[in-house]
Structures are given as structure tokens and as C-alpha cells.
């Protein structure tokens, strides 16, 4: 057994999170794509079957009250809240990340002073965030500027209404400095909107601690909610009375069943709701979140850093010098829970890796992405992934 394999075995034996693996449906595949779609929590299938057969099949319309369907968006939001450092009553679950980005950006602009005519957006963001920001700017008559997060502090001015940033870069895994960037945005008098898709469930976020104004995120990555599971919207408590959603719906009305022709928003985070909740996927998400019972996000972060450190060490040992280049920062304070490697033939390499039971993903034109979900990924799997990667790279380049 190699020294790296021996280290992995000892690390797995000492891993306090290792028992959590039993909470998921897994096989012998090394699954390093949880940053795209989390693994299936073991309790979800039976819960979904109950929702379909009993709650829908037997109780039918009565389930809106008797099964708690009506309160699911805020109830599940409160389950997510501690994972992103928020107190209860500030997160509502529903719609997609894109829809929630639109709600948050337009609401932020509406809360800003009318003289603030500029919107800043992360130039390295997931493309949809950029599309939504451009649309929000046009709809509100603001000018849009795309900047890298490091350029944002010097670009802030009394013209800035709001800033949309990603906590972790989806391509490189770079972790941006949420505390300092939020503080700089506030110092300029603007509002901070954060996209947490690649950080929630992988590392501490501290929304309340750092006074983030609004935040959005998906639930199908590190939160393991399932394909297309509903996203969430965070509205800081003191801003909730001023939150003016651009998508008012009957579900966010103060009297939803009054069918009043004029709109009056519900109090609190509920005004972030729009239409009828997607109950099947929402309750699957609620069941999925039970894997987080008694789990410390700090312990998750500690293991995440250890896994990614070990992967980089193994890649260095098992691959020819210069064959791959890490795009992910080595500094812990700048790293999320993924490692992105660049190589010229990345698409072909990933196909070979998947065929050999190591699942990551490929991003055009030359990036291999590997996501590390500490709840179910172990050190032995990390060593195996790097070893197979070295073998594949040797064969592809031969």
C-alpha cells in the first residue's frame, strides 16, 4: 500500500463525519460531482412515496393544512437557515435560483435611493446571474457594470444601488471574501446580494453575522435536495418591511384566500413567495435536509479543506509535472469545496474518468471540476480518484 493510500485509510478511520455516509444511497463510484447534483439521501424515497400515496392520494386537498403543505416554504427555509448562518424567519423556499435572483436584485434596487443609478455584477458569475442582472438593470433604468469581485471595492460609489456577487466561483472553486466585500458595499450605501449556490452546505456563510442584505441559493448541490429542487431567498429581518417583490403573487398576499384585486404583501419573508409551491420536490427537499441533523457546518468545512488539500497532494504525486494546472486557490480562505484542474484534453479525460467510476464534470473548454461533499466523500475515494486521473492522463497523452 502506498504512503498516500495508507494516509487515506488512517484519515477515514479518524473521520468523525464518516458515519454520515450511511444516510445516502451510494455505490462503488467515486462521486465528486456533488457541486452539480448531490447524492440521494436514504430517507427521501419513502418520504416522497408517503407524500404521493397518502398525502396526495388519500388526504388530497386536506393536505394543505393537515400535512403542512401551506407552511412548507417557510418551514423548510428555517431548516436551511442554520446552514447559512441565519436566524429563523428570514428564508423562504420556492421557485428557481434564477427567479430568486431576479426578485432579490429588483427589490434591492427599489430599496436603494433613486439617485443610485448603477448596478454592479460579478463578471465571473454563472451566466444566468449575468443575464438576470442585465434584465433587472433594463427594467429599472439602471446602468450595469460587470466587474471581478476584487475590482468591486474600488468601483463602489454613491451611484451604486446594489451589487450581485457569487460566494464561490462555479468554474474555479475560488471563495470570495463575503465579510469584507459586504462591508465595503455597505460603506458605499449600497445593498449586497449574494449567490450561495456553491457554498451553502459546504462551508460557513454567516448571513446574519455579516449583515448580508439579500441572498439566494439552490438546494440540489451540497444540500442534496434532488434535481430541480426549489431554491431559496433570504431577506434580512430589518429589510423585510421594505422588500418590494417584482413578482407579487397570491401566495405572498397578506390575505391569500381573500382574492382581493389589489395586492397587499404578507409580513416577513413570506412576501418572497409567488405562486403555488411545488409540493413534491419541496417535501423531498425537506426529507433530504434531515441528513443535517446534529451535523456541524464547521466540522464539514474542516473536512472539506482536508479533502481538497489531500486531493491536490495526490494529483501532484500521481500526474506528470505540468500535465494539469490547478485553477483553485491553495489558500484555505480562498477555496470553496471543489478543485478545478485545467488540461488541454479535459473533455476526453473526464469521459475516461467516468467510465472508470470516478465522476466529476467538464467545463468548456479545458476544465475538470471535482466537488467534495464531506457528508459522504472519504479520503480513500479521493486517493483513488487522483490515482485513476493519473492513469487516464498517461493513457490519453500516450
Amino acid at each position: 500500500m502506498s504512503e498516500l493510500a495508507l494516509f487515506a485509510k488512517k484519515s477515514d478511520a479518524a473521520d468523525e463525519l464518516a458515519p454520515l455516509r450511511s444516510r445516502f444511497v451510494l455505490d462503488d463510484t467515486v462521486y465528486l460531482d456533488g457541486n452539480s447534483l448531490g447524492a440521494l439521501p436514504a430517507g427521501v424515497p419513502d418520504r416522497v412515496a408517503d407524500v404521493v400515496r397518502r398525502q396526495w392520494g388519500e388526504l388530497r386537498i386536506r393536505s394543505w393544512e393537515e400535512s403542512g403543505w401551506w407552511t412548507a416554504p417557510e418551514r423548510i427555509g428555517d431548516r436551511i437557515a442554520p446552514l447559512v448562518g441565519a436566524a429563523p424567519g428570514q428564508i423562504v423556499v420556492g421557485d428557481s435560483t434564477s427567479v430568486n435572483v431576479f426578485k432579490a436584485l429588483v427589490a434591492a434596487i427599489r430599496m436603494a435611493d433613486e439617485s443610485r443609478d448603477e448596478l454592479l455584477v460579478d463578471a465571473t458569475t454563472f451566466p444566468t446571474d449575468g443575464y438576470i442582472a442585465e434584465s433587472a438593470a433594463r427594467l429599472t433604468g439602471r446602468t450595469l457594470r460587470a466587474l471581478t469581485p476584487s475590482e468591486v471595492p474600488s468601483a463602489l460609489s454613491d451611484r451604486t444601488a446594489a451589487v450581485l456577487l457569487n460566494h464561490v466561483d462555479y468554474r474555479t472553486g475560488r471563495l470570495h471574501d463575503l465579510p469584507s466585500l459586504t462591508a465595503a458595499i455597505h460603506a458605499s450605501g449600497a445593498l449586497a446580494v449574494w449567490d450561495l449556490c456553491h457554498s451553502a452546505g459546504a462551508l460557513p456563510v454567516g448571513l446574519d453575522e455579516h449583515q448580508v442584505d439579500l441572498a439566494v441559493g439552490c438546494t440540489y448541490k451540497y444540500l442534496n435536495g434532488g434535481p430541480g429542487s426549489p431554491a431559496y431567498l433570504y431577506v434580512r429581518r430589518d429589510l423585510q418591511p421594505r422588500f418590494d417583490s417584482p413578482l407579487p403573487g397570491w401566495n405572498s398576499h397578506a390575505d391569500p384566500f381573500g382574492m382581493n384585486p389589489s395586492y397587499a404583501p404578507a409580513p416577513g419573508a413570506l412576501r418572497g413567495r409567488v405562486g403555488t409551491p411545488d409540493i413534491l420536490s419541496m417535501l423531498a427537499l425537506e426529507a433530504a435536509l434531515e441528513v443535517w441533523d446534529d451535523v456541524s457546518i464547521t466540522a464539514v468545512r474542516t473536512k472539506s479543506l482536508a479533502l481538497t488539500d489531500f486531493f491536490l497532494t495526490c494529483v501532484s504525486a500521481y500526474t506528470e509535472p505540468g500535465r494539469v494546472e490547478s485553477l483553485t486557490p491553495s489558500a484555505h480562505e480562498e477555496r470553496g469545496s471543489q478543485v478545478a484542474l485545467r488540461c488541454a484534453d479535459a473533455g476526453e479525460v473526464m469521459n475516461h474518468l467516468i467510465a472508470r467510476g470516478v465522476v466529476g464534470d467538464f467545463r468548456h473548454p479545458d476544465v475538470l471540476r471535482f466537488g467534495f461533499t464531506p457528508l459522504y466523500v472519504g479520503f480513500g475515494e479521493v486517493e483513488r480518484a487522483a490515482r485513476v486521473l493519473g492513469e487516464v492522463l498517461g493513457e490519453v497523452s500516450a
Side-chain angles (χ1 to χ4, degrees):
M1 183 178 290
S2 71
E3 289 186 8
L4 290 173
L6 182 60
F7 177 86
K9 186 175 182 179
K10 290 180 178 179
S11 297
D12 280 334
D15 177 15
E16 65 180 271
L17 298 183
L20 298 178
R21 183 179 173 85
S22 65
R23 300 183 184 183
F24 294 86
V25 177
L26 298 165
D27 54 22
D28 292 334
T29 299
V30 180
Y31 189 66
L32 300 181
D33 210 7
N35 54 328
S36 286
L37 176 65
L40 172 66
V44 170
D46 287 345
R47 183 68 60 80
V48 171
D50 177 71
V51 172
V52 172
R53 293 172 182 164
R54 183 182 63 85
Q55 297 182 30
W56 179 16
E58 298 175 14
L59 295 178
R60 294 179 287 273
I61 196 71
R62 292 161 52 193
S63 275
W64 284 105
E65 290 190 8
E66 294 181 28
S67 301
W69 288 2
W70 184 257
T71 58
E74 57 268 26
R75 182 179 71 244
I76 301 171
D78 285 347
R79 289 295 299 266
I80 293 172
L83 301 178
V84 292
Q90 299 175 100
I91 294 179
V92 64
V93 173
D95 305 311
S96 67
T97 305
S98 302
V99 171
N100 285 319
V101 168
F102 179 74
K103 294 180 205 171
L105 271 184
V106 174
I109 293 169
R110 289 177 173 178
M111 284 189 274
D113 188 278
E114 291 185 2
S115 64
R116 294 179 173 269
D117 61 356
E118 190 171 71
L119 174 64
L120 305 184
V121 65
D122 183 348
T124 62
T125 189
F126 188 75
T128 297
D129 283 15
Y131 307 155
I132 296 293
E134 194 277 332
S135 178
R138 282 191 291 113
L139 287 170
T140 59
R142 263 60 176 187
T143 299
L144 181 68
R145 292 179 65 193
L147 303 162
T148 64
S150 63
E151 293 172 327
V152 165
S154 61
L156 294 166
S157 71
D158 57 7
R159 293 184 54 197
T160 310
V163 183
L164 171 63
L165 294 168
N166 275 252
H167 197 191
V168 174
D169 185 280
Y170 81 101
R171 292 186 76 253
T172 67
R174 175 179 290 276
L175 172 66
H176 297 302
D177 192 344
L178 181 147
S180 68
L181 285 167
T182 300
I185 292 166
H186 287 168
S188 75
L191 282 85
V193 182
W194 284 91
D195 183 329
L196 310 178
C197 285
H198 287 268
S199 59
L203 53 91
V205 177
L207 292 179
D208 285 354
E209 176 185 359
H210 303 300
Q211 288 289 289
V212 168
D213 301 301
L214 301 126
V216 303
C218 67
T219 60
Y220 47 80
K221 301 182 190 298
Y222 296 108
L223 298 182
N224 311 296
S229 57
Y232 58 90
L233 170 67
Y234 165 88
V235 183
R236 200 178 71 219
R237 192 178 309 280
D238 62 301
L239 294 180
Q240 291 173 3
R242 298 169 53 204
F243 181 82
D244 182 9
S245 175
L247 296 174
W250 78 282
N251 243 243
S252 62
H253 198 286
D255 182 17
F257 293 99
M259 301 302 164
N260 195 305
S262 60
Y263 180 73
L270 273 67
R271 61 180 58 193
R273 295 171 62 155
V274 184
T276 305
D278 186 343
I279 292 299
L280 296 182
S281 62
M282 189 167 291
L283 296 188
L285 167 63
E286 184 172 36
L289 290 170
E290 291 177 4
V291 302
W292 288 94
D293 290 348
D294 305 318
V295 176
S296 162
I297 194 68
T298 301
V300 168
R301 176 59 169 167
T302 298
K303 183 178 176 182
S304 164
L305 291 171
L307 288 171
T308 48
D309 278 343
F310 184 53
F311 182 68
L312 289 168
T313 297
C314 290
V315 168
S316 178
Y318 290 142
T319 64
E320 291 294 326
R323 183 68 174 89
V324 296
E325 171 195 0
S326 176
L327 301 180
T328 304
S330 58
H332 286 182
E333 65 272 17
E334 297 177 2
R335 187 196 310 164
S337 199
Q338 76 175 51
V339 171
L341 303 176
R342 172 179 286 156
C343 66
D345 39 15
E348 182 183 1
V349 168
M350 184 54 68
N351 287 337
H352 283 285
L353 284 172
I354 293 172
R356 296 194 189 186
V358 176
V359 180
D361 67 17
F362 162 67
R363 284 293 179 267
H364 186 80
D366 57 2
V367 176
L368 302 169
R369 292 197 319 167
F370 302 94
F372 298 82
T373 305
L375 298 187
Y376 54 78
V377 172
F379 291 87
E381 293 171 297
V382 168
E383 188 272 339
R384 175 184 161 194
R387 179 163 31 87
V388 174
L389 173 62
E391 294 169 0
V392 167
L393 289 171
E395 294 169 6
V396 170
S397 62

